[in-house]
């Protein structure tokens, strides 16, 4: 299985090169129809406007970056986003979950999410939360990994005039069950 060759790294040095690689991945994922904050067509300039505050939250703030490499090529990213609110400190949101489009079907997405769950427990989180754009089948991917739908915001995402999608809220309980 291809996932064996995925090397995952938590909190890599956020160098200018890594920032550029993340932006390039984000552009490729977005332009392939990935639901990571944009609707195609997307340019690197479009992504950099959003990436700046995202990188600041990682470099200066409480957010954590998990990246995945196939050899030396960046092919996967996700961010553990701190809720920045004491009453929600026991869980976090996973944002910008991305796997390069040309690696779809290799198991990299599942490997990335399994590592996020493992690290989430290690970091002391009791649950992980992701939001999913409805209509792409992503909720099925997360369900197979143990996430459950806990709600949806109807028509919350306007991907085009006349094309509003639900934002699906997914939750993974990380506490042991007896």
């Amino acid at each position: 299985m291809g996932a064996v060759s995925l090397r995952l790294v938590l909190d890599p040095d956020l160098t200018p090169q890594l920032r550029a690689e993340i932006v390039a991945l984000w552009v490729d994922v977005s332009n392939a129809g990935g639901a990571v904050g944009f609707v195609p067509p997307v340019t690197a300039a479009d992504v950099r406007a959003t990436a700046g505050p995202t990188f600041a939250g990682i470099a200066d703030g409480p957010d954590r970056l998990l990246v995945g490499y196939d050899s030396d090529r960046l092919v996967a990213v996700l961010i553990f986003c701190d809720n920045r609110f004491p009453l929600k400190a026991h869980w976090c949101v996973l944002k910008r979950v991305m796997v390069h489009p040309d690696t779809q079907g290799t198991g990299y997405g599942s490997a990335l999410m399994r590592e996020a769950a493992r690290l989430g427990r290690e970091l002391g989180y009791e649950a992980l939360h992701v939001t999913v754009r409805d209509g792409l089948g992503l909720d099925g991917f997360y369900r197979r990994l143990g996430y459950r739908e806990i709600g949806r915001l109807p028509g919350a995402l306007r991907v085009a005039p006349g094309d509003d999608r639900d934002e699906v809220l997914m939750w993974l309980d990380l506490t042991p069950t007896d």
Side-chain angles (χ1 to χ4, degrees):
M1 180 176 187
V4 174
S5 65
L6 186 66
R7 180 174 51 90
L8 294 159
V9 180
L10 179 65
D11 298 327
D13 188 14
L14 197 53
T15 63
Q17 177 182 338
L18 180 55
R19 290 171 191 243
E21 290 172 350
I22 292 170
V23 167
L25 175 63
W26 204 336
V27 169
D28 289 346
V29 168
S30 296
N31 284 329
V36 286
F38 297 96
V39 175
V42 177
T43 67
D46 297 329
V47 170
R48 277 193 294 273
T50 299
T54 300
F55 293 150
I58 295 165
D60 307 325
D63 299 337
R64 312 282 298 267
L65 176 65
L66 178 63
V67 296
Y69 293 94
D70 182 343
S71 297
D72 291 331
R73 179 180 174 224
L74 180 73
V75 295
V77 168
L78 71 70
I79 301 165
F80 291 89
C81 289
D82 186 272
N83 284 300
R84 294 165 173 78
F85 185 65
L87 300 180
K88 295 180 179 181
H90 59 291
W91 61 275
C92 81
V93 180
L94 300 180
K95 291 193 175 179
R96 309 305 177 211
V97 178
M98 298 184 266
V99 175
H100 197 280
D102 69 12
T103 67
Q104 294 291 320
T106 62
Y108 287 172
S110 296
L112 179 70
M113 295 307 296
R114 281 193 302 273
E115 180 67 358
R118 187 191 73 74
L119 288 168
R121 287 181 187 92
E122 190 175 286
L123 296 169
Y125 293 118
E126 295 175 19
L128 298 176
H129 171 57
V130 294
T131 60
V132 176
R133 183 186 303 167
D134 197 25
L136 300 174
L138 295 170
D139 53 329
F141 167 76
Y142 288 104
R143 277 191 183 90
R144 287 189 296 279
L145 293 167
Y147 284 76
R148 63 187 165 96
E149 180 177 329
I150 56 167
R152 56 178 58 223
L153 303 174
L157 302 170
R158 180 158 293 157
V159 296
D163 186 2
D164 294 351
R165 308 281 179 89
D166 291 357
E167 183 171 38
V168 182
L169 312 176
M170 307 289 294
W171 187 266
L172 179 67
D173 188 352
L174 296 177
T175 58
T177 55
D178 295 325

